[in-house]
Amino acid sequence: MQFGNPPKWQLAVQLAAALGYIALCGGDVLFPIALPQSDYRPLPLRGKSMFSRLLLWIKGLQPNGKGLAEGLQQFAHFDLPKGLVVLLTDGLDESFPESLRQVASRGHELILLQILSDAELQPALEGDLRLVDCETEEVKEITATLGVLREYQRRLEEFCQQLSDICRRAGGWYLRLTSNATVHDIVFRHLRRLGVVGLP
């Protein structure tokens, strides 16, 4: 989530603050959770006055990019009331779709906001390259031909479509966002159009 220009993480924390504020102003109970979470103790927030506490919690977060799928599996078994679950992630874990299905099966109303960088959507690569996964440190050597890049984009589209289908079948919503999108545009144009947030 630190990848991209601007980083995907920057948009994720901005959205967390904005959507959290909307929820608190609407009188909803908010359970902010950073995954993975091995020892989760519910921190329910209610009321506009708790927004400062939410901001402190967000400011203390540091993404490490590991354990996304495992964290979702943990979340699926948390003892939480059924409600609206908003996931802010790049979702780039091959086990993520199955973990997403587990969350959807728990009866929550699911919203997946998948944040990807321009470099992930349209990689500007060419020639012989040695790629290092910044999360697993796995090394892969490739020759970035036009055919290889087209195959990458085909697989990425298939993966994102799979996530969208899981959300849709569960009665939820999926939005793919770029890290340079604005919170204003996401909330007031996309989420309001979907009926996810009710704003005047």
Side-chain angles (χ1 to χ4, degrees), residues 79-146:
D79 184 20
L80 290 171
K82 290 181 176 60
L84 183 65
V85 172
V86 181
L87 293 173
L88 301 167
T89 177
D90 59 15
L92 296 181
D93 184 318
E94 61 183 357
S95 301
F96 182 66
E98 181 54 38
S99 300
L100 188 63
R101 285 190 187 94
Q102 291 185 35
V103 173
S105 70
R106 301 291 288 183
H108 296 294
E109 195 173 3
L110 187 61
I111 301 173
L112 171 58
L113 302 181
Q114 184 185 24
I115 304 170
L116 298 175
S117 69
D118 282 339
E120 290 163 335
L121 293 167
Q122 298 284 341
L125 304 175
E126 60 179 321
D128 297 325
L129 300 169
R130 186 171 183 266
L131 305 180
V132 181
D133 189 309
C134 62
E135 296 172 358
T136 66
E137 298 184 359
E138 180 182 354
V139 176
K140 197 171 194 70
E141 294 184 355
I142 69 164
T143 300
T145 63
L146 182 60

Side-chain angles (χ1 to χ4, degrees), residues 21-186:
Y21 181 77
I22 291 170
L24 292 172
C25 288
D28 296 314
V29 179
L30 184 68
F31 292 87
I33 304 170
L35 299 174
Q37 186 68 256
S38 57
D39 184 26
Y40 176 65
R41 292 182 176 85
L43 178 68
L45 305 178
R46 184 196 286 272
K48 189 176 177 179
S49 63
M50 299 301 288
F51 181 61
S52 58
R53 188 169 178 181
L54 174 65
L55 289 181
L56 283 174
W57 177 81
I58 291 173
K59 189 177 289 189
L61 297 177
Q62 288 295 328
N64 63 18
K66 298 177 181 178
L68 172 60
E70 294 83 354
L72 270 186
Q73 291 168 14
Q74 291 172 356
F75 175 80
H77 296 93
F78 286 160
D79 184 20
L80 290 171
K82 290 181 176 60
L84 183 65
V85 172
V86 181
L87 293 173
L88 301 167
T89 177
D90 59 15
L92 296 181
D93 184 318
E94 61 183 357
S95 301
F96 182 66
E98 181 54 38
S99 300
L100 188 63
R101 285 190 187 94
Q102 291 185 35
V103 173
S105 70
R106 301 291 288 183
H108 296 294
E109 195 173 3
L110 187 61
I111 301 173
L112 171 58
L113 302 181
Q114 184 185 24
I115 304 170
L116 298 175
S117 69
D118 282 339
E120 290 163 335
L121 293 167
Q122 298 284 341
L125 304 175
E126 60 179 321
D128 297 325
L129 300 169
R130 186 171 183 266
L131 305 180
V132 181
D133 189 309
C134 62
E135 296 172 358
T136 66
E137 298 184 359
E138 180 182 354
V139 176
K140 197 171 194 70
E141 294 184 355
I142 69 164
T143 300
T145 63
L146 182 60
V148 167
L149 294 177
R150 283 176 175 167
E151 177 63 14
Y152 163 80
Q153 290 182 321
R154 184 189 69 80
R155 293 189 183 190
L156 178 62
E157 287 298 325
E158 284 185 354
F159 183 78
C160 294
Q161 186 60 52
Q162 184 182 13
L163 301 181
S164 177
D165 290 344
I166 293 170
C167 293
R168 179 176 48 81
R169 288 171 187 150
W173 299 270
Y174 165 87
L175 275 179
R176 188 171 72 185
L177 309 169
T178 58
S179 62
N180 58 10
T182 67
V183 172
H184 183 278
D185 194 48
I186 295 166

